[in-house]
Amino acid sequence: MGLVWLYCFEIGTKKDYIIDMQVPVGLLIAVSFVCFLVITAFVISVLLIRDLLNKQKIYSNFAGYLSDFLVIISKEGRLIDASPTFISDPLYDLILRQKSFKRVFSAAEFKRFSEYVRGLDAYPDIPFVFSQDMGDGLNWYEIRARQKQGGDVHMVLLLKNVTLDVESRTQRDELKEKVDMLLQSTGDFLWSMDVDTRTFTFLTPLVDDEGRAIPRTQGVQDIRAMMPEDDYMFFDKHLNSRIVEFRAKGQDSSENRGVRLRLMGEGGKLDWYAFCGRLYTEENAKIVFRGSARKLDLLLEKPITEDSSVSESTQVAALAFPDIRVFWIDRDYKICGCNQAFSLAFGSPIPREIEGKRLLEVVRPRYFSLFHGVLSEVFEKGLSKSWKGPFGVGRRLLWFNAVPLKRDDGFTYRVLGVYLQLDENDFESVNRLTMEKK
């Protein structure tokens, strides 16, 4: 019995020993797991801090080019943190030294800043703009704030140095003021037109003779009601031709071309303006015609008007020249009349047979290419123009003159064309005979 009891005692002792050994193993595993988490968190923290420091070092390379920085303040108004560490800005350095905006701002400025903070809930997207002069000139800043609930952090502020923006805006305002002064003193204005809807907008208003802006000529206006019907139809035709050319070539190659039109000013007075514009394509694929209009105050020459007193005998004598070819056309380039020398040159003995026909249907292409450039400019500018030179026929030369025919109100409704053909051989023969006589 003693041996049996001893054996049982030994077995029980080993069992208790085994049970006692199992508790420290579980505890050891738990402690090991906790240590692993702590070490992992520590390594991650070290890596994050290292990455942050590397980023800060990168910022240091661009310290002079950074204009934005973050400032975190507590509920008591003291500075908690500022980022990035490396930034070259006088206000940033001042905030780090003073540790509080109350010490940075003047009393009046801090009061305005406090009112801005109290109104954040009502106007969260409106920035707080202020200026600081710290010895290196006046600097302008913009603050955008976001309030934080809970913890010691009360507010996060994003500050931006907007000095360059303010200076650029000031320069733009000064430039606009100078442009407005120039336009008001000359009577010129800027305009824009939507080619799809024909909506005309005065970018700057018309001014009267004393340089005062006319209120009814600001913004969108009915330009057709401000122009004589013939002028508007000519302007519309000119615009359509420019649009066709623009869509065919993908660009406006006629940006220097202009037209002379009349606008109704104060008291129904008609003033002449030289409209010069260019076609643009906006982001929404809309085509816009935009340009300027220069007021024409001087009468550059005395034109031939519709009721000019020219005797019938003088007209007959002028049209009877055998070598000088005369014709006149309207704005549709239809021949309204000509002399017999012109009609004979193009196969018709009677001038009336070619009246009403288009110029392109009568003259040869080499003539029309020359005539069209001169005639269109006379229609647009209302001034006489002359052209001379070879036109692709041997040694023959062409001398062409075009004169505007105007109504009493100054509108060019027709153009008179006069041209003469010369031969270089004839001049050489004359020179040779002259030398022989000498």
Side-chain angles (χ1 to χ4, degrees):
M1 287 294 292
L3 293 174
V4 174
W5 180 85
L6 180 61
Y7 177 75
C8 292
F9 175 77
E10 291 178 355
I11 293 175
T13 302
K14 292 180 179 179
K15 185 176 180 181
D16 293 338
Y17 177 75
I18 294 172
I19 293 174
D20 292 340
M21 289 296 293
Q22 288 177 350
V23 175
V25 171
L27 181 62
L28 181 61
I29 293 173
V31 172
S32 301
F33 181 72
V34 172
C35 292
F36 172 77
L37 291 179
V38 172
I39 294 172
T40 303
F42 176 75
V43 172
I44 293 175
S45 300
V46 171
L47 293 176
L48 289 175
I49 294 174
R50 182 180 177 183
D51 183 63
L52 180 61
L53 293 176
N54 289 334
K55 288 182 178 179
Q56 295 294 338
K57 290 181 180 179
I58 294 175
Y59 279 127
S60 65
N61 296 326
F62 303 95
Y65 303 97
L66 298 177
S67 60
D68 299 6
F69 56 94
L70 287 171
V71 173
I72 302 175
I73 60 177
S74 66
K75 295 179 180 178
E76 294 79 16
R78 60 180 176 82
L79 177 67
I80 296 179
D81 190 19
S83 179
T85 303
F86 299 97
I87 182 172
S88 177
D89 189 275
L91 179 63
Y92 183 86
D93 297 335
L94 182 62
I95 292 173
L96 292 181
R97 291 197 308 269
Q98 300 297 337
K99 305 295 184 181
S100 172
F101 275 98
K102 192 171 184 178
R103 300 176 182 176
V104 172
F105 291 141
S106 63
E109 202 73 66
F110 185 75
K111 180 180 179 181
R112 195 166 67 90
F113 176 70
S114 301
E115 293 176 354
Y116 162 74
V117 172
R118 287 193 294 268
L120 275 177
D121 293 336
Y123 307 100
D125 297 327
I126 298 179
F128 177 75
V129 180
F130 65 98
S131 62
Q132 286 281 337
D133 189 358
M134 285 162 281
D136 58 346
L138 193 65
N139 290 285
W140 288 87
Y141 295 89
E142 176 185 282
I143 294 180
R144 294 186 181 272
R146 291 293 182 268
Q147 289 182 319
K148 306 289 289 186
Q149 300 296 331
D152 191 35
V153 178
H154 175 59
M155 192 173 301
V156 179
L157 306 176
L158 174 64
L159 287 86
K160 182 176 181 180
N161 191 326
V162 293
T163 304
L164 293 178
D165 296 339
V166 172
E167 291 177 351
S168 300
R169 191 179 306 115
T170 302
Q171 292 176 358
R172 289 197 300 269
D173 293 341
E174 292 178 353
L175 180 61
K176 182 179 183 301
E177 184 179 354
K178 292 178 181 178
V179 171
D180 292 342
M181 186 183 302
L182 175 64
L183 294 174
Q184 290 180 9
S185 62
T186 59
D188 304 346
F189 64 92
L190 305 178
W191 54 272
S192 177
M193 189 173 191
D194 186 338
V195 301
D196 293 330
T197 62
R198 292 298 196 267
T199 302
F200 190 91
T201 304
F202 284 90
L203 302 180
T204 56
L206 278 175
V207 295
D208 56 19
D209 295 336
E210 298 181 0
R212 296 174 299 187
I214 302 175
R216 67 176 179 84
T217 60
Q218 295 181 350
V220 177
Q221 298 293 332
D222 183 8
I223 192 65
R224 186 164 190 167
M226 300 179 63
M227 282 185 182
E229 186 65 20
D230 292 338
D231 293 50
Y232 180 81
M233 296 303 295
F234 178 69
F235 181 58
D236 189 64
K237 184 178 179 180
H238 170 77
L239 177 57
N240 290 334
S241 64
R242 293 281 293 272
I243 295 172
V244 171
E245 182 181 3
F246 178 78
R247 288 174 174 169
K249 297 182 179 179
Q251 61 180 358
D252 191 0
S253 58
S254 304
E255 57 184 87
N256 293 326
R257 285 171 52 192
V259 291
R260 299 194 175 198
L261 305 167
R262 291 167 297 170
L263 285 179
M264 189 177 297
E266 286 292 310
K269 177 185 176 183
L270 289 175
D271 294 318
W272 282 94
Y273 290 86
F275 281 74
C276 296
R278 184 175 180 182
L279 290 167
Y280 298 86
T281 302
E282 296 186 342
E283 295 181 356
N284 55 1
K286 181 187 296 184
I287 301 177
V288 178
F289 196 27
R290 188 179 298 122
S292 63
R294 180 170 55 88
K295 189 173 183 180
L296 304 176
D297 294 327
L298 300 177
L299 185 61
L300 301 179
E301 61 179 55
K302 183 175 179 59
I304 301 176
T305 57
E306 192 173 13
D307 59 347
S308 296
S309 56
V310 180
S311 65
E312 183 178 353
S313 60
T314 302
Q315 296 179 25
V316 172
L319 296 178
F321 287 126
D323 295 327
I324 299 178
R325 299 164 187 178
V326 182
F327 67 93
W328 52 98
I329 61 171
D330 59 14
R331 285 186 169 268
D332 292 325
Y333 288 84
K334 290 182 179 180
I335 298 175
C336 301
C338 65
N339 67 347
Q340 192 171 26
F342 178 83
S343 63
L344 285 173
F346 299 103
S348 179
I350 303 175
R352 292 186 179 276
E353 291 181 352
I354 61 175
E355 292 180 7
K357 294 184 178 180
R358 293 187 178 274
L359 186 62
L360 181 59
E361 299 173 359
V362 177
V363 303
R364 301 180 184 91
R366 66 167 62 94
Y367 285 98
F368 183 78
S369 61
L370 296 174
F371 291 166
H372 182 268
V374 177
L375 294 172
S376 61
E377 186 172 345
V378 175
F379 271 125
E380 292 172 3
K381 297 184 176 181
L383 300 175
S384 302
K385 185 175 178 60
S386 177
W387 184 93
K388 52 182 175 291
F391 60 104
V393 180
R395 303 187 65 185
R396 296 186 68 80
L397 303 175
L398 184 70
W399 195 336
F400 179 60
N401 290 272
V403 180
L405 304 179
K406 300 185 178 182
R407 297 189 307 226
D408 291 336
D409 56 8
F411 179 73
T412 302
Y413 74 108
R414 291 178 182 174
V415 171
L416 175 69
V418 181
Y419 70 97
L420 176 67
Q421 286 192 16
L422 305 174
D423 197 320
E424 293 182 4
N425 296 325
D426 295 337
F427 289 97
E428 291 179 358
S429 301
V430 172
N431 291 334
R432 186 166 55 252
L433 290 173
T434 303
M435 293 299 295
E436 289 176 357
K437 288 182 179 179
K438 289 182 178 181

